[in-house]
Every structure is written in C-alpha cells, then in structure tokens.
Amino acid sequence: MLDMLTELVTRESFTSEKQHVDRLVDYVESQLHTHGAGSVERYPQADVGDFLLARWNEDAAGKPFLFLVHLDTAHPIGSLATMPIRIEEGRFYGPGALDMKAGLVIALEAIRALHDGDQLPGHPLHMLLTTDEEIGSSGSEALIRERAAECALTLVMEPASKEGAIKTWRKGGAKYSLTVDGRASHAGTAPQEGINAIIELARQALEINGLNDLKYGTSVSVTRVEGGTAGNVIPARAQAHIDTRALTMEAMEHVHAALTGLYPKMPGAEVRCVRIAQRPPMERRPDLFEKAAAIGESHGITLYEAGSGGGSDGNFTAAMGIPTLDGLGAHGDGAHALHEHVIIDSLPRGAALIAAILLEW
Ligand SMILES: [Zn+2]
C-alpha cells in the first residue's frame, strides 16, 4: 500500500495543471485494470484532468456500491521539492497523501483482496475518479449525481477526522452576490443629489451579519466588498460577496429567503441579492453510522463519528437521499498544509473496514 501511495504522491496533481493531473490519471487507469476492474471508462475534460469510471462485478444482481475518489490536490506543482515524501514515526508525509491519495489506496486494496479471493459481494462495484473536487466539483457534479442515482451506497474516500472518526455530517453552503445601485453625483458641488451605494451596502452588511446563528451551525459572512469609481464621486454602485454555511436544508432555505428578500434602507436605492453557487448539506443519519459501526465492531474495528464545516462530493449524494458514508479514507493531519501526513497503521485498518462493509452492508 505504501508503494502505491508513493507512486500516486510522486505524480503531483494540482487541480488547474491538466497535463500533470492527466499523468496521474494515466497511471491510475492502468492500476484499475491491474486491480481487476472489468471496464474503465475515461471521460475527457478540457480544463481539468480526465475523469475515470471503473466497474467490477458487473454481473452481480444488487444495486451498485459507488466509491467517490478525487485525484486532484490543493498543492501547486513543485510542492514535492519543499515537502518531499518521507516516512517518520509511523507517518507518511507528502502533498496530497491524506487528501485523498491514501483513500484511493485503501479502496483499491480492499477491492483487490476481495477480487483475488473470489469474494466480491453480490453488488457491482463502481468507482468514479474526478479531478475538480478541490475547486468545487462544478464539472463533475452532474456525473456524480448520475452515477449515484442508481446506487445502494456511496463510499466517499475523503480523509477521516484528525482523531480518526468518519464524517457523518457536513455543512452545506451557498455563495451570494449582493449588488446595490444608488445614484452618482459630484461629491463637492452636489452631494445631496447622490444616493450613496456604499452607505446603503454598509447598512445591508450589518443586517446580513445579523443572520448568523453560530450556535445552530449557521454562518453568514460578508467576505468581499467593492464600490465606487473615483474619490470625488458619490458612488452609484457597490457590490459584496456573501458566504453562507448551514447544517440543514431548512436552515439554508431560511437564509436564502432572508437574503433574497432584502429591501433598500435609503430612498431611491436598489438592492439585489442572487445566489451564484450552492452545495447542499450532508445531514446526519444515525441509522447509517450505526450500521457501519456494527459491521466494524464485528471485525474488531471501533468507529467514531465527526462532522465538518467543509463540503465534499458526499454532500451531493447524501442530499439525493442515497446512503452515504464519508471520511472512509486515511487517518492523519494537515490536509492542504505543509505537514500533510497519513497515519500508516490506518491504511490496512481502513482496507479491512471497507472490505467488511462491501461484504456485509
Ligand atoms: Zn479531498
């Protein structure tokens, strides 16, 4: 497993560097065949690395189990020079090792062992490998949804929490653009004839900030503002970017209604708030965790659960109502950071857990 992880990490795969990512995709494509995949489909992409869909056990009668893997990382090409691969005190260090190349290693090892032992479960196994997760999955979302729609279970190979817990909930999020229109005028000779869009926006920002409900996991943050044209002109336009996060769809809809219902405070001003992107929350489903934990327990593996304010591709499948287990990848720390590393012991443990889930779910 460490040899394969080394091969994967050596092929750097920063999302925006298609040529580099495709070199990794080529390698993974050959490995999927080596690991017994019955078919591997390649979906060419123009701006990011190509996507892959591998299938095992297509003749099995059950609904497929779907693995979600992303091959891209948040580390620019050349990061290997400053954070070279090294093994120290039971940890494997390297860019993208934890998020989530080790997750691919774990899934493939579980499948290989079942395949070689002629023990594949009564379900087809599908693995979708995408390359744009770190920038929001806008190019792969439709394919993820399409593949998940027919599945009995989605297994997301993102890293576990720092303490080794799988992820049973993730916040959803939406981004909004707020545009305020006023009226320009000369700041010296006719300030009274202007409608100051920046002042209107400032008042809106305070109201928007009041939508925060951190105790219940809802955050609403004005994250960027711009406005005005020149130092002596009452500004006619100002704009803001708003980042929102919430635990439930209900809370997201509440925030959405408030933001799209904003009305101007100053006579003559106009206010428009529109949603520009959305990822639904992965709401906690106790039944799924209990089922996975029971399977783990019967093999001597104790599972813990945790959540995250950040999203994954599991948000899409969970919101479709497809049973989704997330954070099944390696344990470790420092995703996206210089000290990114994998706890080596968690690799065989993870593979054993995946194999057990595939057989007993
Ligand atoms: Zn990831």
Side-chain angles (χ1 to χ4, degrees), residues 70 72 98-100 133-134 157-159 311-312 336:
H70 69 82
D72 59 321
L98 178 65
D99 185 11
M100 60 186 295
E133 197 274 344
E134 297 291 2
M157 299 310 296
E158 291 284 358
S312 84
H336 301 194

Side-chain angles (χ1 to χ4, degrees), residues 56-66 114-115 118-126 150-153 354-361:
W56 289 261
N57 213 20
E58 257 325 86
D59 297 335
K63 286 168 119 185
F65 293 150
L66 174 68
L114 294 178
H115 178 265
D118 215 8
Q119 277 187 302
L120 284 172
H123 296 257
L125 303 181
H126 294 176
E150 59 172 54
C151 281
L153 175 67
I354 294 291
I357 289 174
L358 293 179
L359 288 174
E360 296 168 26
W361 188 262

Side-chain angles (χ1 to χ4, degrees), residues 175-179 239-242 272-276:
K175 299 181 198 309
Y176 291 84
S177 168
L178 173 69
T179 305
Q239 285 173 301
H241 184 97
I242 301 154
R272 265 190 333 277
C273 192
V274 294
R275 185 166 58 202
I276 50 178

